[in-house]
Amino acid sequence: MKKLSILLFIFFIIQTSCKKFLETPVLNNVSVDDIFKDFQSARLTMVDMYNLLRGTNYYLRDMYLYADVAGGNIKYSRTSGQQLFQTYNFSNDPGNTDMENAYLNAYKLIYNSNNVFKYVGNISDANQQQKNRIFADAFVFRALAHFDLVKTFALPYNYTANASHRGVVLRLENTSITTPIANSAAVNEVYTAILKDLDSAVLRYSNSTNIYPGIAAKNTFSADFAKALKSRVLLYKEDYAAVVTTCNELIAANTYPLLTTSNYISSWRGRSNFSESIFELAFDNIIGTGIGNYFNPRVSGNIFLQYATTTDLLSLYSAGDIRSKPSFFVDTTISSVTYSYTRKYQGTGDSINNIKIFRTSELYLNRAEAHAKIGNLSLALADLNMIRLRANPSAGNFNSTNQTEIINEILNERRRELCFEGHLLFDIARNKRNLQRVDCSSAVCSFNYPDNRFASPIPVIF
Amino acid sequence: MKIAFSFLIFLISLSAIAQNQNLVVTGNVSSADENLPLDGVVIKLKNTNKTVVTDAKGNFSFKLTADEKKSGVFIFSYTGFLKQETKILNRNFINVSLQQNLESLKEVVVTNSYSKPKRKEEVVGSIATVSAAELQTTRPIESFDKMLEGLVPGLQVQTNTELGTPVKINIRGQNSLSNLGGSNVTALTTSSQPLFVVDGVPIIEQRKGDEPIAFLSGEELLNPIAGINPDDIESISVLKDAAATAIYGANANNGVIIITTKKGKQGKTRLNIGYSTGRSAPINQVKWLSGPQYFELVRELYINQGRAPFEAELLAGSNKMNTPWFELTNQYGAFNNLDFDLSGGNENTTFRLSASYQEQQAMQKGNDFKKIFFTLRLDHKIGSKFSLTTKVAPSFTNKNGLNVYSNVPIIPNVPSYNADGTFYQLSNLNVPNPLAVLAQNTNTHTGGTLDASTQLSYQATKTLRFSSVVGINAFLNKQTIYESALNATGNTKGGSLQIYDRQNFSWITFHQATWAPKIKEHAFDVTAGFEAQSTTTRLLKGTGSGFTYDRIRELSMAQRQLSASSNQINSSYSIYAQAAYNFKSKYFVNLTSRLDAASIFGTDINSTINSSIGAGWLISAEDLFKKSTWIDFLRLRVSYGTTGNSRIGSYQARGIYSLTSPSYGNLVGASPSSAPNENLGWEKGYKTNIGLDFAFGKRFNLTLDFYNNITDDAISTVMVPLETGFTGLLANTAKMRNRGFDAGISAKILNKAFKWNSTFNFGFNRGVILEVKNGGSRYSTSNMAGVLRAGVSTTAIWGFNFVGIEPATGAPQYLDNTGKIITYDFVNAANNAPLRSMQNAYYLGDRLPKLQGGFINRFSYKNFSVTINIVYSIGGKDLIDYNLEADGNNLTNRNGSVNLMDRWNTPGQITKVGKLNFALPIVNSTRYLYDATYFKIGNISLSYELPKEVIKKLKGFRANLFFNVTNVLYWYKEKSPIDRNGYREYRFSSFPEARTANTGIRISI
């Protein structure tokens, strides 16, 4: 009996010391409940969402250049290794699409945002301002991701009268992984959710504090970005009065003054922030491959170089426009064909360009379009001419009293100003225009509105 | 008086000396069959502690008292020979010849690292052993795992052709699920490799899973098994059923391979030296398109895409140039091996020291592999109760692996050099010039392994024994990758350097007590113990770019530098017990149980218990059979038990965030890397085995095992809808079964002057998934063509039936699972969606063979012997890389198979290759599916031993000359068409197999 108790005692000692032995410290991989235990760790997930935005499968290429590749601003200067090539050829199908990873990443942003909403409220070592900032950013991330999804993978808002057509899957909370995913929500439901998230964000920003030491304010989200994004969402939703109100507020504050004619071209060089940027993705600590690699022909042996400009776009610029050839395009000849590349992104190596997600020029153009569609033609012309004259002071004002003519010109100006910034195909589709690509070598260069190909097929993994 | 007394003493001592001189017995010991002197034979006077040892000539001298000389008995014992007792009977000179114990190596079986070797009849588990001689280490193969091909019933080695990289070993089929893909899941599935244990110390498997993202790509993992010197191996035991493996508990589901290293032999110090050298040449190379052929096809491809002929010609490049890239990047391989070992000792201490140098130059230029091994083993007895064994075995590795760019065959109608002698840049093809890579880049591994252990045991009483083992296993490797700014690999970064430093340290210790009493006819052998082990993986990565001076390739020379490090610890502890009982040495029972608790499940410390029961019945010991003259051994074995598989990444059940740095704004970030799955639990294996061992006619030996292995809650990655934010996650998704039988038959067919020994083994296995659980998606990406579905194996290939090429349009046609023919649509690729959806696909075959094994024959006549190893595999299917023959899909940036010359280009043409086009092919169809049935003469070796008379004259000097050829001959069921490629060529595609011939000598002094 005595022996047995000694044995039991030894066993007990071993057991307790072993429990300690198995408690290995937190290493590279942290479990979900661990990462949201404290403020410092939870913040890491926010940082990484910004990092995801600037990845190849988001704004560095797929989500950003999709509309330009499909819309007709871009043609390829390579005959092999083309990226987004199926998008260019409209040959994406659900089982095999260029946009699969972008789609996945949008939902990854939503997954993390939903984790934030689930866990961050219980964090005890953060004050309300810090928590508000995390929540506000998460609202913007979720809104941005849902908006990117709905504009890319669904037909435009105005495709049906009440936007009741198929949108995308709306994820407002994370369900257990074994629960079946809900069906796609209608487009109007998605837009409602996006606008609600943006409004919640603005409210949270009003009582928040910066939580990203060392990052410039306009390199993370802000109340102003949430509002600016809202103006874009409202424009797509054709809620023009609200577009005007939102833009008025931001333009009047003049926090992000327009670039001037003289500093326009030089501002696109290098990696510093624009004065007129409301949000840009910073690349200040990245060396290597950036968006410039797709566009810079002067790097020898650049295997990424491919996105040349179509003559469709080049021919839109008037003589003397600073955004036209040769001042804003760089030419090169490959196999005796001359290609032009935009100077917006020529930074490579240690001077990779930041990616502009929203800048004041778009606010003017959004407001111009909204005014024009409401019928405030003179206000529309005023905004249009701000952008027009900045690029070409000698061009003189654009004048017209014909609403259609003005809208056409605004859309052309949008294409001139915002090319390679992810707008063209969406601008065509939501204005119910036909896709007409002239300088095009795809099997499918043109189709008329409406057409299901205005929405990229929703990727499915079997 | 004093003087008288001294004189008396003198006389007595004188007489004592005289008496002693008379009572010295001398003698000589030799081997009975060879009549060669035996060195190191221990001669013991029975019932005393007096011993002597023979010298190199087999001579001994023994001092005895008169009594002893009259009635004493000598016991002669020598490893590998039968013990012999000889009465002295007052003889002064005794000549003894010992009989070799032919079954000596077979008689004793290493069953696991916790027990002493057991006699053959005591073993109730299914264990196959490979002795040092059977392993044939003179073959030019760099690691012993590759040498096992065809030697063990039921063990399949999936060979690869790259030096020093891990090979996959399946014991009785694959007992874990295949990974069905999913790019965002870092930890894949549980490991499907067996557990390797060397002298009690498990070898750390190199697999990725818990590393930060920065380490997941770029670094290439080497084979830790290559750190074991094949010449040090005394025996290999392959544990297959639950009775054998359950003592390894949660790590045993894929089987266990136990390696026991050689120990020193008593007697005079003996030296063995061996040297061999060889050359290798590629066999079964793929026939690629020549330059003009390539031009013709690419031109046609562009025309098919709607280009004008002149434009197509311009785009297709040169119509004359023909650069033979394969020949430019390959050469004859070389193999050199030098080894020596030194061993000796006395009855209390033996030692063995070995060192070996191995150098292998692959056929691919720029790829080589060098190894240096050292091993020191000491066995020492302290008094009569303590014994100590210590082994230290470091090894060093150097590997160069520059030649990976030939993986993508370079197009042939471009030059390799510019007119000015500089390398031609292939930058428009997304690939660098492989010759420039060879000349300008670096890709080197340097590192080593350390395997060391100490065992102390204490025999407290006759029946009670305590032992403790402490062991370490370390794997260190540094990979340096330099991509020069001078070629396309590094020019956008101004030259780039990546250094990966990997340190794996693991320690293990176990302490146990063994109680083995024999009470009348009841024999017990009970072992219980405690084990703890811990593995630390430390990774360091440094990258630099911007090299203004290309010749010094160090991080400090880079303009921009980044670094990352990581530290992972996995710990576990276990409590185990094993009880063996036998009655009358006829009826055997064995019970095993083990508890494992591991840190990998995070703070929810999780433990699992595995147990087994085994029973054996030695039928030949029954009275009925005892008189039988032809039955030597007959025994029936039955076992059942559970095993586990804990080799999975950490915290998988709870959802994971992976830390990344530098992330946005140079801050640390955490990205979601896997979704939580609260239902994830341990895999459980249930193994049943029925075996029969039968030896008869003193010549034939048969072992037959039938098994039924069930793995329940098998873990795999399942596809989840992308809307979750993930592509897949780990889940307990299936119950699977491997059922089959394996058998080994060995026979001494001829045993006269001409000897013929033959061993035949086979493993017949059918794997099937019995049940799919927990929902999720059950299909892989179409490239992987896998499926998780009840009724087929986890290694099933899933796809479409290729009907042929429609003669009118040149479009490939496929059958879907409803029997409908779907014609490929060149114009609107979206119409091909049904063919890309795995849901419309069906079962095409199984990747693993139904039947596989080996047939080893050894012929010897006088001093010559020939060994022929035949390896076969029947019934497996293989889906080759579709890029080789993809109707022109990737043809503009890579070369293709010469089979593309048969493409469709005229309406009405009947052919197997479709109209050339850019559209993506259907990758998982029978078009790329081949029957992988083959027979191969894996090795022929010739050996010549110096004749006995010569050895005698040279006083024990022995020499052996040998010659080996590997991969001598292949027979494939699928024939390759004349001048075209078939499975024979496609199997290893860009890195063909080598046929290596080596010749060498082993001498022993």
Side-chain angles (χ1 to χ4, degrees):
Chain A
M1 194 59 217
K2 196 179 161 195
K3 270 186 184 167
L4 187 70
S5 54
I6 289 172
L7 269 177
L8 279 175
F9 179 72
I10 291 172
F11 187 73
F12 176 75
I13 296 282
I14 288 173
Q15 274 291 73
T16 43
S17 58
C18 283
K19 282 245 163 76
K20 275 237 168 89
F21 172 63
L22 293 188
E23 280 167 18
T24 50
V26 171
L27 301 164
N28 314 303
N29 290 340
V30 186
S31 65
V32 174
D33 36 350
D34 256 13
I35 198 103
F36 287 108
K37 238 174 207 161
D38 58 81
F39 169 68
Q40 209 198 358
S41 308
R43 198 189 59 182
L44 304 182
T45 71
M46 307 304 293
V47 169
D48 202 79
M49 284 204 276
Y50 286 106
N51 200 41
L52 193 149
L53 285 188
R54 65 176 180 173
T56 312
N57 297 124
Y58 219 79
Y59 287 143
L60 181 59
R61 188 187 67 208
D62 295 354
M63 274 299 188
Y64 201 58
L65 296 175
Y66 166 82
D68 290 279
V69 166
N73 283 339
I74 282 173
K75 65 177 178 183
Y76 291 94
S77 57
R78 307 176 59 84
T79 52
S80 64
Q82 303 97 321
Q83 285 160 329
L84 295 179
F85 198 46
Q86 286 175 237
T87 294
Y88 179 74
N89 287 318
F90 288 94
S91 62
N92 285 324
D93 66 58
N96 178 15
T97 160
D98 290 338
M99 298 300 288
E100 181 188 314
N101 286 325
Y103 183 82
L104 172 71
N105 282 340
Y107 280 106
K108 192 156 274 182
L109 294 171
I110 294 169
Y111 167 83
N112 191 61
S113 303
N114 288 338
N115 276 347
V116 166
F117 299 131
K118 181 175 174 190
Y119 293 103
V120 169
N122 301 328
I123 290 178
S124 55
D125 66 335
N127 62 37
Q128 197 54 46
Q129 275 88 6
Q130 290 171 322
K131 283 189 191 178
N132 277 349
R133 180 60 199 263
I134 291 188
F135 282 128
D137 277 10
F139 277 122
V140 177
F141 273 116
R142 191 165 74 178
L144 187 65
H146 276 132
F147 184 55
D148 282 334
L149 288 166
V150 77
K151 72 185 186 188
T152 309
F153 298 97
L155 290 168
Y157 191 89
N158 55 12
Y159 174 69
T160 51
N162 52 0
S164 60
H165 56 285
R166 194 269 295 157
V168 291
V169 173
L170 191 60
R171 297 272 290 170
L172 299 176
E173 62 175 335
N174 292 335
T175 49
S176 163
I177 203 86
T178 45
T179 315
I181 294 288
N183 289 333
S184 294
V187 169
N188 59 18
E189 293 172 302
V190 180
Y191 272 77
T192 307
I194 293 167
L195 290 169
K196 190 167 169 243
D197 278 352
L198 290 175
D199 288 340
S200 307
V202 172
L203 206 65
R204 294 275 184 172
Y205 279 120
S206 64
N207 179 26
S208 70
T209 178
N210 182 25
I211 57 168
Y212 307 106
I215 303 182
K218 63 171 62 175
N219 293 137
T220 59
F221 296 155
S222 57
D224 289 341
F225 174 64
K227 290 173 192 164
L229 183 61
K230 192 178 163 190
S231 82
R232 195 190 284 170
V233 176
L234 291 167
L235 185 72
Y236 281 50
K237 195 180 170 231
E238 301 193 317
D239 189 348
Y240 299 122
V243 175
V244 172
T245 321
T246 313
C247 292
N248 280 348
E249 188 196 329
L250 287 168
I251 291 171
N254 202 27
T255 323
Y256 314 93
L258 277 183
L259 294 175
T260 62
T261 311
S262 57
N263 69 9
Y264 187 85
I265 288 177
S266 61
S267 293
W268 284 96
R269 287 196 199 118
R271 60 199 333 178
S272 52
N273 287 325
F274 270 20
S275 61
E276 70 163 70
S277 275
I278 302 169
F279 173 55
E280 337 191 322
L281 281 166
F283 281 78
D284 44 7
N285 66 328
I286 302 263
I287 295 153
T289 308
I291 192 168
N293 285 69
Y294 300 116
F295 296 94
N296 185 339
R298 287 160 303 179
V299 175
S300 77
N302 179 359
I303 60 169
F304 294 99
L305 177 70
Q306 53 188 296
Y307 293 136
T309 314
T310 57
T311 52
D312 310 25
L313 174 62
L314 291 171
S315 63
L316 280 179
Y317 295 103
S318 57
D321 192 320
I322 56 169
R323 299 165 304 183
S324 69
K325 268 174 91 166
S327 55
F328 210 50
F329 287 91
V330 51
D331 285 359
T332 201
T333 302
I334 299 167
S335 306
S336 62
V337 182
T338 301
Y339 296 99
S340 302
Y341 303 90
T342 180
R343 279 193 201 269
K344 281 187 174 176
Y345 316 112
Q346 291 291 309
T348 56
D350 53 5
S351 61
I352 295 174
N353 305 97
N354 287 354
I355 293 177
K356 279 77 188 166
I357 305 299
F358 213 107
R359 54 195 181 93
T360 305
S361 298
E362 188 189 337
L363 284 177
Y364 279 95
L365 291 165
N366 287 355
R367 192 169 69 176
E369 191 179 332
H371 277 314
K373 286 177 174 170
I374 297 168
N376 303 332
L377 300 187
S378 57
L379 290 170
L381 287 170
D383 282 340
L384 167 64
N385 285 323
M386 279 293 285
I387 302 302
R388 175 185 168 92
L389 292 181
R390 175 184 63 177
N392 191 358
S394 59
N397 280 335
F398 178 83
N399 269 315
S400 172
T401 51
N402 181 322
Q403 188 187 28
T404 316
E405 221 176 84
I406 293 173
I407 291 173
N408 285 348
E409 185 56 25
I410 291 170
L411 291 179
N412 279 339
E413 196 60 38
R414 268 184 91 87
R415 190 168 177 185
R416 288 182 205 116
E417 180 59 38
L418 301 176
C419 54
F420 312 107
E421 293 178 56
H423 294 273
L424 183 56
L425 187 75
F426 308 130
D427 288 342
I428 293 170
R430 67 186 174 81
N431 281 289
K432 305 191 178 183
R433 307 290 167 112
N434 300 330
L435 179 74
Q436 285 172 317
R437 297 191 292 177
V438 180
D439 183 8
C440 166
S441 58
S442 164
V444 180
C445 286
S446 306
F447 47 78
N448 291 342
Y449 186 89
D451 192 303
N452 286 337
R453 284 173 284 188
F454 278 114
S456 198
I458 289 184
V460 177
I461 286 205
F462 299 105
Chain B
M1 186 59 208
K2 206 179 174 184
I3 292 172
F5 184 69
S6 306
F7 185 64
L8 187 66
I9 297 254
F10 175 67
L11 272 182
I12 289 170
S13 38
L14 200 67
S15 73
I17 290 167
Q19 200 176 16
N20 277 351
Q21 276 170 340
N22 286 336
L23 297 183
V24 167
V25 175
T26 58
N28 184 277
V29 186
S30 60
S31 63
D33 59 334
E34 287 186 297
N35 194 24
L36 287 173
L38 291 175
D39 157 23
V41 177
V42 179
I43 301 140
K44 189 179 173 192
L45 187 65
K46 201 173 177 179
N47 299 326
T48 69
N49 280 331
K50 288 185 179 176
T51 53
V52 295
V53 178
T54 57
D55 66 11
K57 292 171 190 162
N59 295 329
F60 69 91
S61 71
F62 212 125
K63 288 171 191 165
L64 299 169
T65 64
D67 263 10
E68 288 169 348
K69 193 176 175 188
K70 193 176 158 199
S71 58
V73 177
F74 281 148
I75 304 170
F76 296 85
S77 58
Y78 191 63
T79 317
F81 286 79
L82 295 171
K83 266 190 188 169
Q84 190 170 320
E85 294 193 3
T86 305
K87 287 179 181 162
I88 303 170
L89 301 173
N90 270 326
R91 282 180 290 177
N92 288 332
F93 189 82
I94 296 176
N95 247 339
V96 168
S97 55
L98 296 182
Q99 291 290 336
Q100 204 160 2
N101 185 353
L102 293 172
E103 287 299 307
S104 63
L105 290 171
K106 290 280 175 196
E107 286 288 278
V108 177
V109 178
V110 176
T111 57
N112 59 57
S113 43
Y114 304 103
S115 316
K116 276 186 160 180
K118 293 202 163 146
R119 291 195 316 279
K120 186 182 171 187
E121 64 267 22
E122 290 177 320
V123 178
V124 293
S126 173
I127 298 174
T129 55
V130 179
S131 68
E134 287 166 340
L135 196 58
Q136 304 170 50
T137 56
T138 62
R139 288 181 291 167
I141 300 175
E142 85 267 14
S143 60
F144 84 85
D145 47 352
K146 292 185 182 177
M147 290 178 182
L148 286 176
E149 191 184 18
L151 297 184
V152 180
L155 182 145
Q156 185 205 8
V157 179
Q158 294 186 339
T159 43
N160 65 27
T161 53
E162 213 192 326
L163 292 174
T165 54
V167 291
K168 190 162 177 277
I169 289 184
N170 292 320
I171 296 177
R172 295 181 165 175
Q174 188 180 315
N175 287 296
S176 303
L177 291 174
S178 301
N179 174 30
L180 291 183
S183 53
N184 288 51
V185 179
T186 51
L188 307 168
T189 50
T190 45
S191 168
S192 57
Q193 283 287 76
L195 174 72
F196 286 89
V197 180
V198 181
D199 295 331
V201 182
I203 301 292
I204 317 157
E205 184 184 1
Q206 298 300 316
R207 67 194 295 263
K208 294 185 181 180
D210 284 346
E211 293 85 346
I213 292 161
F215 292 95
L216 284 177
S217 58
E219 186 191 9
E220 181 197 16
L221 297 180
L222 297 187
N223 186 2
I225 302 300
I228 298 164
N229 184 355
D231 286 322
D232 284 345
I233 296 175
E234 171 80 28
S235 76
I236 296 171
S237 293
V238 179
L239 317 187
K240 299 191 278 196
D241 71 342
T245 59
I247 191 99
Y248 292 97
N251 288 311
N253 201 35
N254 296 310
V256 183
I257 296 181
I258 309 278
I259 295 105
T260 309
T261 59
K262 287 175 181 161
K263 59 189 263 188
K265 272 185 184 169
Q266 291 176 20
K268 198 201 82 168
T269 303
R270 191 173 276 280
L271 175 68
N272 292 305
I273 299 175
Y275 172 71
S276 78
T277 181
R279 290 282 174 277
S280 53
I283 54 171
N284 302 331
Q285 294 139 268
V286 173
K287 299 176 201 65
W288 302 106
L289 293 167
S290 73
Q293 286 174 326
Y294 177 82
F295 169 82
E296 183 188 338
L297 294 188
V298 174
R299 178 182 174 275
E300 190 176 313
L301 174 63
Y302 279 116
I303 291 171
N304 289 350
Q305 291 302 119
R307 304 265 184 170
F310 79 91
E311 206 185 347
E313 259 164 55
L314 202 67
L315 288 165
S318 162
N319 61 354
K320 291 197 189 73
M321 213 172 287
N322 184 18
T323 304
W325 291 105
F326 184 85
E327 284 73 15
L328 288 172
T329 53
N330 283 270
Q331 62 191 6
Y332 284 110
F335 176 88
N336 285 297
N337 188 71
L338 177 66
D339 60 81
F340 95 101
D341 66 76
L342 196 67
S343 81
N346 56 33
E347 58 269 41
N348 284 328
T349 308
T350 60
F351 75 95
R352 183 173 181 278
L353 172 72
S354 77
S356 174
Y357 173 73
Q358 191 189 82
E359 179 188 79
Q360 217 167 338
Q361 163 66 56
M363 294 173 301
Q364 294 85 28
K365 285 182 187 169
N367 293 1
D368 59 49
F369 189 62
K370 296 187 193 95
K371 292 235 52 147
I372 298 173
F373 303 98
F374 288 100
T375 304
L376 175 64
R377 177 170 168 152
L378 276 175
D379 288 88
H380 180 62
K381 280 184 194 142
I382 310 162
S384 58
K385 297 205 158 170
F386 284 96
S387 64
L388 183 75
T389 297
T390 295
K391 188 198 70 177
V392 182
S395 81
F396 302 93
T397 307
N398 185 294
K399 178 188 151 127
N400 287 303
L402 265 184
N403 204 331
V404 289
Y405 293 95
S406 58
N407 231 343
V408 177
I410 309 291
I411 66 174
N413 68 340
V414 292
S416 48
Y417 292 93
N418 293 318
D420 61 2
T422 54
F423 292 106
Y424 180 77
Q425 299 284 344
L426 304 158
S427 52
N428 201 35
L429 301 170
N430 282 344
V431 287
N433 183 328
L435 298 177
V437 168
L438 287 176
Q440 294 159 349
N441 289 9
T442 311
N443 185 351
T444 306
H445 291 266
T446 48
T449 62
L450 176 66
D451 184 13
S453 62
T454 290
Q455 174 169 5
L456 178 70
S457 48
Y458 171 61
Q459 192 77 43
T461 69
K462 258 192 173 166
T463 56
L464 187 63
R465 183 165 166 266
F466 295 95
S467 59
S468 287
V469 172
V470 179
I472 57 164
N473 176 233
F475 178 86
L476 308 172
N477 191 50
K478 183 173 161 186
Q479 184 178 12
T480 306
I481 303 168
Y482 180 77
E483 294 174 336
S484 170
L486 301 172
N487 63 58
T489 55
N491 63 352
T492 58
K493 290 167 268 181
S496 121
L497 177 69
Q498 297 167 59
I499 297 179
Y500 296 91
D501 191 84
R502 171 174 284 264
Q503 297 186 343
N504 260 301
F505 285 105
S506 114
W507 58 260
I508 181 171
T509 180
F510 54 91
H511 309 276
Q512 61 181 30
T514 305
W515 182 58
K518 194 167 181 192
I519 304 159
K520 291 180 185 166
E521 285 167 321
H522 307 273
F524 297 88
D525 188 345
V526 182
T527 300
F530 165 82
E531 177 179 297
Q533 56 179 314
S534 181
T535 301
T536 309
T537 305
R538 289 194 180 86
L539 304 173
L540 180 65
K541 175 191 180 181
T543 55
S545 60
F547 282 81
T548 52
Y549 184 57
D550 199 54
R551 283 169 58 189
I552 299 184
R553 298 168 175 191
E554 297 295 344
L555 288 175
S556 46
M557 293 289 140
Q559 292 170 331
R560 298 171 291 271
Q561 298 155 20
L562 275 176
S563 61
S565 65
S566 144
N567 188 5
Q568 298 147 239
I569 304 172
N570 273 333
S571 307
S572 68
Y573 74 82
S574 315
I575 298 166
Y576 58 89
Q578 185 163 49
Y581 163 76
N582 75 65
F583 178 64
K584 286 186 172 175
S585 290
K586 262 193 249 175
Y587 310 103
F588 299 83
V589 179
N590 197 349
L591 299 167
T592 308
S593 195
R594 174 169 171 135
L595 176 145
D596 291 285
S599 64
I600 53 163
F601 278 82
T603 47
D604 311 329
I605 292 167
N606 234 331
S607 61
T608 177
I609 294 179
N610 289 292
S611 309
S612 76
I613 178 166
W617 176 26
L618 191 58
I619 303 171
S620 53
E622 297 289 346
D623 295 341
L624 188 66
F625 294 92
K626 263 189 176 162
K627 287 166 201 149
S628 163
T629 49
W630 66 282
I631 295 178
D632 307 326
F633 187 87
L634 178 63
R635 188 248 318 257
L636 185 68
R637 288 177 279 114
V638 182
S639 75
Y640 175 76
T642 63
T643 53
N645 188 344
S646 70
R647 283 178 282 172
I648 180 182
S650 300
Y651 311 112
Q652 288 293 346
R654 305 165 76 208
I656 297 174
Y657 275 82
S658 299
L659 301 191
T660 53
S661 184
S663 186
Y664 195 64
N666 252 339
L667 301 175
V668 175
S671 66
S673 57
S674 80
N677 177 9
E678 50 288 339
N679 301 322
L680 184 71
W682 296 69
E683 278 185 6
K684 206 87 180 161
Y686 300 90
K687 295 180 195 281
T688 312
N689 191 83
I690 299 171
L692 188 77
D693 302 291
F694 189 30
F696 55 97
K698 303 263 183 282
R699 289 162 75 177
F700 299 98
N701 244 311
L702 167 75
T703 296
L704 183 70
D705 280 281
F706 169 82
Y707 59 88
N708 189 48
N709 294 346
I710 305 242
T711 302
D712 202 358
D713 289 335
I715 295 174
S716 73
T717 307
V718 292
M719 303 291 115
V720 291
L722 295 168
E723 290 80 9
T724 58
F726 299 92
T727 51
L729 89 163
L730 290 180
N732 300 101
T733 46
K735 183 176 181 179
M736 59 191 282
R737 181 184 71 201
N738 278 294
R739 180 184 278 178
F741 55 95
D742 42 46
I745 301 156
S746 66
K748 290 172 203 144
I749 298 174
L750 294 172
N751 204 7
K752 302 265 166 58
F754 183 77
K755 293 192 174 81
W756 177 14
N757 288 345
S758 187
T759 310
F760 176 75
N761 73 65
F762 67 85
F764 173 86
N765 184 68
R766 287 302 281 273
V768 67
I769 293 169
L770 299 172
E771 188 190 338
V772 176
K773 306 173 170 186
N774 289 333
S777 173
R778 298 166 297 172
Y779 304 94
S780 73
T781 58
S782 56
N783 275 19
M784 299 182 68
V787 69
L788 174 64
R789 165 167 284 205
V792 299
S793 153
T794 181
T795 45
I797 301 172
W798 207 247
F800 297 91
N801 218 328
F802 175 60
V803 177
I805 301 298
E806 193 186 44
T809 61
Q813 294 183 312
Y814 302 89
L815 276 181
D816 73 0
N817 60 357
T818 61
K820 195 174 79 182
I821 291 185
I822 302 180
T823 304
Y824 197 86
D825 191 336
F826 291 128
V827 183
N828 195 350
N831 290 346
N832 297 318
L835 287 172
R836 296 229 168 78
S837 160
M838 291 283 285
Q839 273 166 338
N840 301 324
Y842 45 90
Y843 176 72
L844 299 181
D846 192 342
R847 287 174 216 264
L848 289 188
K850 289 191 180 81
L851 187 68
Q852 57 83 28
F855 184 38
I856 320 283
N857 282 289
R858 185 167 193 272
F859 306 95
S860 55
Y861 180 70
K862 289 189 173 167
N863 301 311
F864 292 91
S865 69
V866 178
T867 307
I868 300 172
N869 291 14
I870 295 172
V871 177
Y872 63 91
S873 171
I874 298 169
K877 295 278 192 294
D878 198 357
L879 194 66
I880 58 145
D881 178 8
Y882 70 96
N883 280 312
L884 293 160
E885 237 187 69
D887 292 351
N889 172 250
N890 283 318
L891 201 60
T892 50
N893 53 7
R894 58 176 285 164
N895 201 359
S897 160
V898 75
N899 296 26
L900 284 171
M901 291 308 289
D902 303 330
R903 83 286 180 197
W904 181 97
N905 61 2
T906 350
Q909 187 182 350
I910 291 166
T911 177
K912 282 180 184 161
V913 183
K915 179 182 171 183
L916 299 175
N917 69 93
F918 279 130
L920 271 178
I922 303 305
V923 298
N924 51 343
S925 73
T926 49
R927 182 171 171 185
Y928 307 110
L929 187 79
Y930 287 90
D931 186 330
T933 297
Y934 66 86
F935 284 79
K936 98 171 163 177
I937 299 179
N939 192 70
I940 294 182
S941 86
L942 292 168
S943 156
Y944 171 75
E945 194 92 35
L946 274 192
K948 280 173 229 163
E949 306 78 57
V950 180
I951 296 174
K952 242 184 172 171
K953 266 186 201 155
L954 295 173
K955 296 171 186 172
F957 174 91
R958 287 159 181 259
N960 168 241
L961 296 167
F962 56 86
F963 175 73
N964 282 293
V965 192
T966 64
N967 290 333
V968 184
L969 193 71
Y970 262 107
W971 177 88
Y972 280 101
K973 188 178 172 193
E974 296 249 14
K975 303 283 175 260
S976 300
I978 296 162
D979 293 333
R980 294 288 182 260
N981 298 306
Y983 184 59
R984 177 183 285 274
E985 291 80 15
Y986 286 151
R987 185 170 169 218
F988 293 105
S989 78
S990 294
F991 285 106
E993 269 193 300
R995 175 177 297 144
T996 307
N998 76 327
T999 182
I1001 184 166
R1002 276 191 85 79
I1003 55 178
S1004 158
I1005 306 161

